[in-house]
Amino acid sequence: MVAQTSDGHVLLVKKLGGLFAIILGCLLTAVGVTFESSGTTFVGVLLLVLGAGLLVLKIVRRNQAPPLT
């Protein structure tokens, strides 16, 4: 079953943005923990949460049931 959406570009942006935020968040979190920088660690964790949230929104949107008529 293939999901058809009229706003495919928005879903692509959410997917790529989420992946980019997760990767950057992992890197910043690792650097922040290594150098004991609480600010960098906080920003890294914040980006991880943001990236996961974007991916969850994309998945939820894709898996919505079609309206019954």
Side-chain angles (χ1 to χ4, degrees):
M1 184 185 304
V2 176
Q4 298 292 328
T5 60
S6 61
D7 54 352
H9 297 292
V10 172
L11 294 178
L12 180 64
V13 169
K14 283 184 182 178
K15 185 176 185 179
L16 292 177
L19 289 174
F20 181 73
I22 287 175
I23 291 169
L24 190 61
C26 286
L27 290 172
L28 285 175
T29 302
V31 168
V33 169
T34 301
F35 294 112
E36 299 176 358
S37 171
S38 60
T40 306
T41 304
F42 177 75
V43 171
V45 170
L46 192 65
L47 281 173
L48 281 170
V49 170
L50 176 71
L54 286 174
L55 290 179
V56 165
L57 286 174
K58 181 200 172 298
I59 292 168
V60 167
R61 170 99 179 181
R62 183 185 65 194
N63 291 333
Q64 285 180 346
L68 298 174
T69 56

